[in-house]
Amino acid sequence: NVNQITDVDGVVHRTFNDFKMLHPDFILTFDDDLVQPALVNIRQDHLEQIIIILADNAIKYSTDRKEIHFALSKSATRVEIGVQDFGEGIESEDLARVFNRFYRVDRARSREKGGNGLGLSIAERLVKAYGGEITVESALGSGSIFTIRLPLVSEPTSDENSPL
Ligand code: ATP
């Protein structure tokens, strides 16, 4: 991968705003806990693609409660991006498999919604390629939260910035 330092805040906000415009029938909320820029060593289009996959799924697998919640926070070492829906949810026995290539929980019903079962496997592959992780918490009938965590680029110290 080509090294590229990306400001996570900007990318997530842009994608959030795109989804707001594309899905006016949804209520989209964003809980942004970042105080300073969160810089991550990831190609910007790759980060964007990961978030689009999660947000697309959140829309696709929502039922009557058309709400999507984005959350952004960071610790000392990593940034955390969450995408939550209040839709159909995933049974615990299927949870571990949703990241597998071509895996779809409900083949018959999902087929109507379109898709090949590739999105999450691509998202996972990308997140791992950049040293991060992706996890899911879900309950059948009440919704899902997909969370990705990526290592922060450590800020240069004032020493390293000094021309001397
Ligand atoms: P595509 O290839 O277009 O991404 P897909 O949505 O079926 O199709 P994945 O994104 O890999 O593929 O998701 C795999 C399966 O995981 C889905 O078919 C669906 O059953 C389940 N799934 C993914 N996201 C959610 C979600 N937010 N809520 C409920 N089920 C989900």
Side-chain angles (χ1 to χ4, degrees):
N1 284 312
V2 182
N3 286 358
Q4 189 180 319
I5 306 289
T6 293
D7 170 26
V8 172
D9 208 37
V11 172
V12 179
H13 275 279
R14 271 200 302 282
T15 312
F16 175 79
N17 288 327
D18 287 348
F19 270 81
K20 252 187 138 152
M21 282 211 298
L22 285 166
H23 301 282
D25 50 329
F26 274 78
I27 297 170
L28 279 96
T29 53
F30 196 150
D31 186 10
D32 188 348
D33 285 340
L34 293 184
V35 276
Q36 287 152 336
L39 302 180
V40 169
N41 198 329
I42 187 170
R43 252 176 60 181
Q44 189 168 310
D45 58 322
H46 282 165
L47 178 59
E48 209 171 274
Q49 192 182 359
I50 294 162
I51 299 160
I52 287 171
I53 288 167
L54 300 185
D56 257 339
N57 280 345
I59 299 276
K60 196 154 77 172
Y61 300 107
S62 280
T63 48
D64 12 282
R65 190 168 163 196
K66 296 187 178 310
E67 289 173 45
I68 309 293
H69 185 64
F70 279 48
L72 192 48
S73 62
K74 74 177 179 184
S75 68
T77 56
R78 11 183 238 182
V79 65
E80 193 173 289
I81 305 162
V83 179
Q84 178 174 20
D85 67 69
F86 304 88
E88 63 188 56
I90 304 160
E91 226 166 341
S92 52
E93 58 178 32
D94 293 314
L95 268 185
R97 287 195 284 256
V98 294
F99 297 105
N100 294 354
R101 288 181 76 200
F102 304 116
Y103 185 77
R104 314 197 69 198
V105 171
D106 183 340
R107 296 187 163 273
R109 195 158 38 125
S110 295
R111 215 175 284 133
E112 293 166 23
K113 301 195 177 189
N116 300 299
L118 282 173
L120 286 177
S121 68
I122 293 166
E124 184 185 50
R125 199 165 46 92
L126 283 172
V127 168
K128 284 184 170 169
Y130 290 104
E133 61 174 35
I134 180 167
T135 57
V136 54
E137 293 164 75
S138 187
L140 201 61
S142 47
S144 312
I145 310 180
F146 284 83
T147 304
I148 68 167
R149 297 176 194 83
L150 288 162
L152 285 165
V153 174
S154 45
E155 304 277 349
T157 65
S158 49
D159 257 13
E160 283 167 323
N161 278 333
S162 160
L164 298 176

